[in-house]
Amino acid sequence: MELGEGIRWTDRGIVLVDILAGRLLTAVGHPIDPLRQLAQLPVPLGAVAPVAGAPGTWIAAAGTGICLLTPDGSTRWLAQPEADAARPMRMNDATTDPSGRFWAGSMAYDADEGAGSLYRVDHDGTVTRVLDNITVPNGPAFTADGATMYLADSARGVVRRYPVDPETAELGAPEVFVTVDDGSPDGMVVDVEGAVWVAVWGTGSVRRYLPDGRLDRTLSLPARQPAGVCLGEDLLHITTARVGLAEPGPFDGAVFTARVDVPGRPSTAYRHDGSASFPGERS
């Protein structure tokens, strides 16, 4: 893959994206089997989540906003908040929280300082900007109770921790969880012990940080740019990227799997409770 990210363990299996190519992929069968393409968009595709009650439908951070990908390959845009931005923008990483809201970050194509934002898609489909002045947002990742959100600003080398009101999804004041000096924190996932696995771009490593911010362990990879992580039970899946490398190695852009001793939970589906049905949604 050129820029493999957004890997998630869902009730529909492992899904991931090749962002700049706009490809949605799934891993099926044996781990060494080829990835299967589910969809391809004419715009960058940052990450997806399944839509509850709508088989084959995904909510996606794509292009300049949020859309639904339907089983027939068509798209329905919920909002495109970055379409009229002063500089060219695209969506980046995204995930659901435990209550089924969808959170997605945006960034400038040239990673302009502070140009990015974080958006939240509520259960009624409303898209709201909740944070700005982010350069390259990655994650977010949530604790199992939904009361804490981790968000990386990769270009600034920092992961921040935000308190979240699980009822209203309002964010409290952040604190710095981890700073990375030798690379860029990228995709993240929280395991059942509340520790955070972080893909560290540029270092060929994935690192597990305890809830107090201490580094617990480091997993080394034969690829320089780890970009996304997810936990499927006790298997840690890692995406990497070739983009920007003058001489990519044989494993740059590959997907890796490693067995770990602390499992994770499947990603939550996006839950829509509005009066209007999404395409493909069961009545």
Side-chain angles (χ1 to χ4, degrees):
M1 291 179 290
E2 183 181 11
L3 180 51
E5 273 206 49
I7 190 164
R8 302 287 180 264
W9 178 37
T10 76
D11 59 1
R12 303 175 192 175
I14 299 291
V15 295
L16 58 151
V17 300
D18 193 351
I19 291 184
L20 299 178
R23 296 195 299 155
L24 174 61
L25 305 159
T26 184
V28 294
H30 193 276
I32 64 171
D33 288 347
L35 298 175
R36 179 166 62 88
Q37 183 168 300
L38 297 176
Q40 183 162 17
L41 301 184
V43 293
L45 177 59
V48 305
V51 176
T57 298
W58 305 86
I59 187 169
T64 55
I66 311 294
C67 69
L68 298 175
L69 307 180
T70 61
D72 64 4
S74 62
T75 57
R76 171 185 165 189
W77 291 94
L78 303 183
Q80 293 177 278
E82 299 289 5
D84 298 321
R87 56 184 56 82
M89 302 286 292
R90 68 169 176 85
M91 302 305 291
N92 201 45
D93 206 359
T95 196
T96 46
D97 65 22
S99 73
R101 300 179 184 91
F102 189 64
W103 301 69
S106 68
M107 60 174 285
Y109 274 96
D110 63 358
D112 190 63
E113 177 76 15
S117 298
L118 181 69
Y119 295 91
R120 185 186 69 232
V121 186
D122 290 317
H123 299 303
D124 62 358
T126 301
V127 179
T128 303
R129 179 187 276 114
V130 293
L131 293 173
D132 57 14
N133 192 34
I134 309 166
T135 301
V136 179
N138 273 294
F142 290 85
T143 54
D145 59 4
T148 301
M149 179 185 81
Y150 295 92
L151 182 69
D153 193 339
S154 301
R156 292 167 170 161
V158 64
V159 178
R160 295 185 177 91
R161 176 164 52 195
Y162 294 78
V164 185
D165 185 322
E167 294 298 320
T168 66
E170 294 299 316
L171 300 178
E175 62 178 354
V176 172
F177 173 61
V178 166
T179 56
V180 176
D181 298 324
D182 60 339
S184 300
D186 208 306
M188 301 179 290
V189 66
V190 181
D191 65 27
V192 298
E193 292 183 350
V196 185
W197 287 92
V198 182
V200 186
W201 180 279
T203 68
S205 70
V206 179
R207 302 171 188 176
R208 184 179 189 257
Y209 293 93
L210 300 177
D212 62 7
R214 285 181 296 148
L215 178 63
D216 173 64
R217 70 194 69 173
T218 299
L219 176 67
S220 296
L221 303 173
R224 282 167 281 180
Q225 297 179 154
V229 288
C230 80
L231 277 166
E233 297 179 339
D234 64 345
L235 294 177
L236 180 69
H237 304 286
I238 307 145
T239 59
T240 67
R242 298 167 62 87
V243 66
L245 294 176
E247 296 181 3
F251 299 113
D252 290 311
V255 181
F256 297 88
T257 297
R259 193 171 299 279
V260 296
D261 56 0
V262 180
R265 299 178 178 87
S267 299
T268 308
Y270 170 70
R271 299 193 183 109
H272 174 61
D273 61 7
S275 58
S277 295
F278 284 160
E281 192 171 29
R282 293 171 178 161
S283 59

